[in-house]
Amino acid sequence: MNTVTLNVQGMSCNHCVNSIEGALGKLEGVQSAKVSLADNQVTVTFEESTVSLDKVKETIEDQGYDVV
């Protein structure tokens, strides 16, 4: 398992939290995803052999947010 914290721009409300956590939760290999609006960060724990970090980032960006 690998845990990363990503800086994400554009999050402002609970809809943002639900959108990101929901999309990441559907990815095979993602164990957990936790959004911190106050810090503009998303912490993701995932199995590197199943899902790549690039796929995690792409999934967040597909929800309309920018990973910086």
Side-chain angles (χ1 to χ4, degrees):
M1 283 294 167
N2 189 21
T3 300
V4 295
T5 300
L6 303 168
N7 293 313
V8 179
Q9 298 287 323
M11 303 182 301
S12 61
C13 63
N14 282 335
H15 170 75
C16 302
V17 172
N18 294 335
S19 176
I20 292 172
E21 289 180 353
L24 290 174
K26 292 178 184 174
L27 283 181
E28 185 177 343
V30 172
Q31 181 183 18
S32 68
K34 180 68 178 151
V35 173
S36 171
L37 287 177
D39 297 325
N40 291 315
Q41 294 180 330
V42 179
T43 301
V44 186
T45 301
F46 62 100
E47 185 60 56
E48 291 176 289
S49 62
T50 306
V51 64
S52 69
L53 178 57
D54 285 341
K55 181 64 177 174
V56 170
K57 291 178 180 179
E58 178 184 314
T59 299
I60 293 170
E61 290 172 346
D62 285 349
Q63 298 306 305
Y65 307 98
D66 295 319
V67 178
V68 292

